[in-house]
Amino acid sequence: MKLFYKPGACSLASHIALQESGMDFSLVGVDLAQKQLENGEDYWQVNPKGQVPALLLDDNTLLTEGVAIMQYIADTKADRQLLAPAGSIARYRTLEWLNYIATELHKGFTPLFRPDTPEDYKPTVRALLEKKLHYVNDALRDNEWICGSRFTIADGYLFTVLRWARAVKLDMSGLKNIEAYMARVAARPGVTAAMEAEGLS
Ligand SMILES: N[C@@H](CCC(=O)N[C@@H](CS)C(=O)NCC(=O)O)C(=O)O
């Protein structure tokens, strides 16, 4: 399997899931600005969406959309318990978080990364995200991981987007649960391995 990624981008969440699953995979870096692979190949030809992550399976099936990729990884290595079994409420709780992270947090950051976002719109974007971070901080009050006592694929994704909150210097003062959570996630061997492989540590 090959994971198409950019260091520190949302593809880090799929990378963490792969590391945590123990599956064999290789990484292919994508220059998202040029839509090019390291060998000069046109990335549009690999993924017509032009985005990371994309996972190329051994039978040449291409899977895109981080939330689908992470579920595929977790279900393929079910013994790692990165996602609860189908039908259990624990699974839907994790899907609930994956959707929140994808639609409310991940895509909430996009205007801050786009060069064409009007400067006077950015404070609104930042304030909305800061409000949502308080919700996340509260959700972590009594929980080691975002879905409770077990690490799931939602944690790799939440960790990935919370890193961006730090990078763009959102106001995270007083968000002690998030601070402790970030250290807890970062300390996991699978996360450390993904961070090192992406040159982030
Ligand atoms: N809906 C996609 C969005 C993926 C996405 O936003 N990827 C960003 C990096 S974090 C990207 O490739 N941006 C480049 C672009 O959109 O041209 C998913 O959830 O996987």
Side-chain angles (χ1 to χ4, degrees):
M1 276 191 309
K2 283 183 187 167
L3 177 70
F4 294 89
Y5 83 108
K6 182 190 164 193
C10 55
S11 45
L12 175 61
S14 298
H15 188 182
I16 289 172
L18 281 167
Q19 292 284 0
E20 293 276 344
S21 77
M23 288 164 103
D24 276 340
F25 67 95
S26 57
L27 291 169
V28 182
V30 181
D31 177 338
L32 284 176
Q34 302 302 321
K35 304 293 180 198
Q36 255 187 12
L37 303 184
E38 290 146 350
N39 63 5
E41 213 179 298
D42 182 7
Y43 186 55
W44 290 115
Q45 298 301 315
V46 177
N47 178 7
K49 291 177 178 168
Q51 293 181 312
V52 292
L55 188 67
L56 187 64
L57 307 185
D58 292 341
D59 67 358
N60 263 349
T61 301
L62 187 79
L63 201 53
T64 64
E65 299 300 314
V67 166
I69 290 172
M70 287 183 268
Q71 286 179 68
Y72 170 79
I73 295 165
D75 286 338
T76 303
K77 283 284 179 180
D79 57 309
R80 296 292 177 120
Q81 297 181 296
L82 296 168
L83 180 61
S88 64
I89 193 67
R91 186 182 184 99
Y92 300 110
R93 189 65 70 212
T94 302
L95 298 183
E96 186 181 33
W97 269 108
L98 286 170
N99 202 60
Y100 185 79
I101 298 162
T103 60
E104 302 295 332
L105 300 177
H106 176 176
K107 286 296 152 181
F109 277 94
T110 307
L112 298 179
F113 297 140
R114 290 188 62 96
D116 55 356
T117 301
E119 280 307 316
D120 61 358
Y121 178 52
K122 289 186 179 173
T124 306
V125 172
R126 295 174 72 89
L128 270 172
L129 283 168
E130 283 163 0
K131 196 161 178 222
K132 288 172 185 171
L133 291 186
H134 279 268
Y135 169 70
V136 172
N137 190 65
D138 289 349
L140 286 167
R141 187 171 38 227
D142 301 318
N143 286 335
E144 190 178 1
W145 309 110
I146 196 59
C147 298
S149 57
R150 192 177 287 285
F151 178 92
T152 69
I153 47 176
D155 291 295
Y157 197 10
L158 184 56
F159 174 78
T160 297
V161 301
L162 290 175
R163 286 186 74 252
W164 302 342
R166 285 178 169 172
V168 300
K169 298 190 168 46
L170 291 186
D171 180 6
M172 295 173 81
S173 52
L175 302 185
K176 296 285 176 224
N177 302 331
I178 288 184
E179 200 180 314
Y181 172 78
M182 292 299 277
R184 213 156 40 237
V185 180
R188 292 180 66 88
V191 176
T192 308
M195 298 279 285
E196 274 174 11
E198 296 198 11
L200 302 171
S201 45

Short mmCIF file of all heavy atoms in Angstrom, two decimals, residues 9-11 32 35 49-53 64-67 102 106-107 157 164, ligand 1:
data_model
loop_
_atom_site.label_atom_id
_atom_site.label_comp_id
_atom_site.label_asym_id
_atom_site.label_seq_id
_atom_site.Cartn_x
_atom_site.Cartn_y
_atom_site.Cartn_z
N ALA A 9 0.03 17.71 6.98
CA ALA A 9 -1.32 17.96 6.45
C ALA A 9 -2.30 16.93 7.04
O ALA A 9 -1.90 16.07 7.84
CB ALA A 9 -1.30 17.89 4.92
N CYS A 10 -3.55 17.00 6.61
CA CYS A 10 -4.55 16.08 7.17
C CYS A 10 -4.20 14.61 6.93
O CYS A 10 -4.71 13.73 7.63
CB CYS A 10 -5.95 16.41 6.64
SG CYS A 10 -6.03 16.43 4.83
N SER A 11 -3.33 14.37 5.95
CA SER A 11 -2.87 13.00 5.67
C SER A 11 -2.12 12.40 6.86
O SER A 11 -1.98 11.18 6.96
CB SER A 11 -1.99 12.99 4.42
OG SER A 11 -1.06 14.06 4.45
N LEU A 32 1.75 19.71 -3.09
CA LEU A 32 0.36 20.08 -3.35
C LEU A 32 0.23 21.35 -4.18
O LEU A 32 -0.74 21.53 -4.91
CB LEU A 32 -0.40 20.23 -2.02
CG LEU A 32 -0.78 18.93 -1.32
CD1 LEU A 32 -1.43 19.23 0.03
CD2 LEU A 32 -1.72 18.07 -2.18
N LYS A 35 1.07 20.03 -7.56
CA LYS A 35 0.35 18.77 -7.85
C LYS A 35 1.30 17.77 -8.51
O LYS A 35 1.00 17.19 -9.56
CB LYS A 35 -0.88 19.02 -8.74
CG LYS A 35 -1.85 20.04 -8.19
CD LYS A 35 -2.56 19.61 -6.93
CE LYS A 35 -3.53 20.66 -6.42
NZ LYS A 35 -3.91 20.48 -5.03
N LYS A 49 -8.81 14.35 -7.51
CA LYS A 49 -9.20 15.41 -6.58
C LYS A 49 -8.02 16.34 -6.29
O LYS A 49 -8.20 17.43 -5.75
CB LYS A 49 -9.70 14.80 -5.26
CG LYS A 49 -11.03 14.08 -5.37
CD LYS A 49 -11.41 13.45 -4.04
CE LYS A 49 -12.77 12.77 -4.13
NZ LYS A 49 -13.04 11.93 -2.95
N GLY A 50 -6.81 15.87 -6.57
CA GLY A 50 -5.62 16.70 -6.34
C GLY A 50 -5.31 16.92 -4.88
O GLY A 50 -4.54 17.82 -4.53
N GLN A 51 -5.90 16.11 -4.01
CA GLN A 51 -5.72 16.32 -2.56
C GLN A 51 -5.07 15.10 -1.91
O GLN A 51 -5.14 13.99 -2.45
CB GLN A 51 -7.09 16.56 -1.91
CG GLN A 51 -7.74 17.87 -2.33
CD GLN A 51 -9.08 18.08 -1.64
OE1 GLN A 51 -9.92 17.18 -1.60
NE2 GLN A 51 -9.29 19.27 -1.12
N VAL A 52 -4.49 15.33 -0.74
CA VAL A 52 -4.07 14.23 0.12
C VAL A 52 -5.06 14.20 1.29
O VAL A 52 -5.68 15.21 1.59
CB VAL A 52 -2.62 14.45 0.65
CG1 VAL A 52 -1.63 14.35 -0.48
CG2 VAL A 52 -2.46 15.76 1.42
N PRO A 53 -5.25 13.03 1.94
CA PRO A 53 -4.57 11.77 1.68
C PRO A 53 -5.22 10.99 0.54
O PRO A 53 -6.39 11.19 0.23
CB PRO A 53 -4.78 11.02 3.00
CG PRO A 53 -6.12 11.50 3.48
CD PRO A 53 -6.19 12.94 3.07
N THR A 64 -9.77 7.52 -1.41
CA THR A 64 -9.53 8.91 -0.98
C THR A 64 -10.51 9.23 0.15
O THR A 64 -11.33 8.39 0.51
CB THR A 64 -9.73 9.91 -2.14
OG1 THR A 64 -11.09 9.87 -2.57
CG2 THR A 64 -8.80 9.60 -3.30
N GLU A 65 -10.38 10.42 0.70
CA GLU A 65 -11.16 10.92 1.84
C GLU A 65 -10.62 10.27 3.12
O GLU A 65 -10.82 9.07 3.38
CB GLU A 65 -12.66 10.68 1.71
CG GLU A 65 -13.29 11.39 0.50
CD GLU A 65 -13.11 12.92 0.55
OE1 GLU A 65 -13.32 13.54 1.60
OE2 GLU A 65 -12.72 13.48 -0.48
N GLY A 66 -9.99 11.11 3.94
CA GLY A 66 -9.34 10.63 5.15
C GLY A 66 -10.24 9.77 6.03
O GLY A 66 -9.80 8.73 6.53
N VAL A 67 -11.48 10.19 6.20
CA VAL A 67 -12.37 9.45 7.11
C VAL A 67 -12.63 8.03 6.57
O VAL A 67 -12.69 7.07 7.33
CB VAL A 67 -13.67 10.25 7.33
CG1 VAL A 67 -14.74 9.40 7.97
CG2 VAL A 67 -13.38 11.48 8.21
N ALA A 102 -13.81 16.44 10.79
CA ALA A 102 -13.68 16.70 9.35
C ALA A 102 -14.41 17.98 8.93
O ALA A 102 -13.86 18.80 8.20
CB ALA A 102 -14.24 15.52 8.55
N HIS A 106 -11.42 20.55 10.75
CA HIS A 106 -10.52 20.50 9.59
C HIS A 106 -10.88 21.58 8.55
O HIS A 106 -10.07 22.46 8.24
CB HIS A 106 -10.61 19.09 8.99
CG HIS A 106 -9.84 18.87 7.73
ND1 HIS A 106 -9.76 17.65 7.13
CD2 HIS A 106 -9.11 19.71 6.94
CE1 HIS A 106 -9.01 17.73 6.04
NE2 HIS A 106 -8.62 18.98 5.90
N LYS A 107 -12.12 21.53 8.07
CA LYS A 107 -12.49 22.48 7.01
C LYS A 107 -12.64 23.91 7.54
O LYS A 107 -12.57 24.87 6.78
CB LYS A 107 -13.74 22.01 6.28
CG LYS A 107 -13.45 20.84 5.35
CD LYS A 107 -12.50 21.25 4.21
CE LYS A 107 -11.67 20.11 3.68
NZ LYS A 107 -10.75 20.50 2.59
N TYR A 157 -6.74 11.92 14.14
CA TYR A 157 -7.27 13.03 13.32
C TYR A 157 -7.35 14.31 14.16
O TYR A 157 -6.95 15.40 13.72
CB TYR A 157 -8.64 12.62 12.80
CG TYR A 157 -9.19 13.42 11.64
CD1 TYR A 157 -8.43 14.35 10.93
CD2 TYR A 157 -10.51 13.21 11.22
CE1 TYR A 157 -8.97 15.04 9.86
CE2 TYR A 157 -11.05 13.90 10.15
CZ TYR A 157 -10.28 14.82 9.48
OH TYR A 157 -10.81 15.51 8.41
N TRP A 164 -2.49 22.19 14.00
CA TRP A 164 -2.66 23.40 13.17
C TRP A 164 -3.09 24.58 14.06
O TRP A 164 -2.69 25.72 13.79
CB TRP A 164 -3.73 23.19 12.10
CG TRP A 164 -3.49 22.05 11.17
CD1 TRP A 164 -2.30 21.38 10.94
CD2 TRP A 164 -4.46 21.41 10.33
NE1 TRP A 164 -2.49 20.38 10.02
CE2 TRP A 164 -3.81 20.38 9.63
CE3 TRP A 164 -5.82 21.62 10.11
CZ2 TRP A 164 -4.47 19.55 8.72
CZ3 TRP A 164 -6.48 20.81 9.20
CH2 TRP A 164 -5.81 19.79 8.51
N1 LIG B 1 -12.26 15.92 1.87
C1 LIG B 1 -10.85 15.60 1.90
C2 LIG B 1 -10.09 16.89 2.09
C3 LIG B 1 -8.61 16.64 2.09
C4 LIG B 1 -7.86 17.97 2.17
O1 LIG B 1 -8.41 19.03 2.49
N2 LIG B 1 -6.55 17.89 1.89
C5 LIG B 1 -5.74 19.07 1.83
C6 LIG B 1 -4.54 18.95 2.77
S1 LIG B 1 -5.03 18.94 4.48
C7 LIG B 1 -5.23 19.23 0.42
O2 LIG B 1 -4.88 18.26 -0.22
N3 LIG B 1 -5.21 20.48 -0.05
C8 LIG B 1 -4.77 20.80 -1.37
C9 LIG B 1 -5.90 21.18 -2.26
O3 LIG B 1 -7.07 21.12 -1.85
O4 LIG B 1 -5.62 21.57 -3.40
C10 LIG B 1 -10.54 14.62 3.04
O5 LIG B 1 -11.20 14.74 4.09
O6 LIG B 1 -9.66 13.75 2.89
#
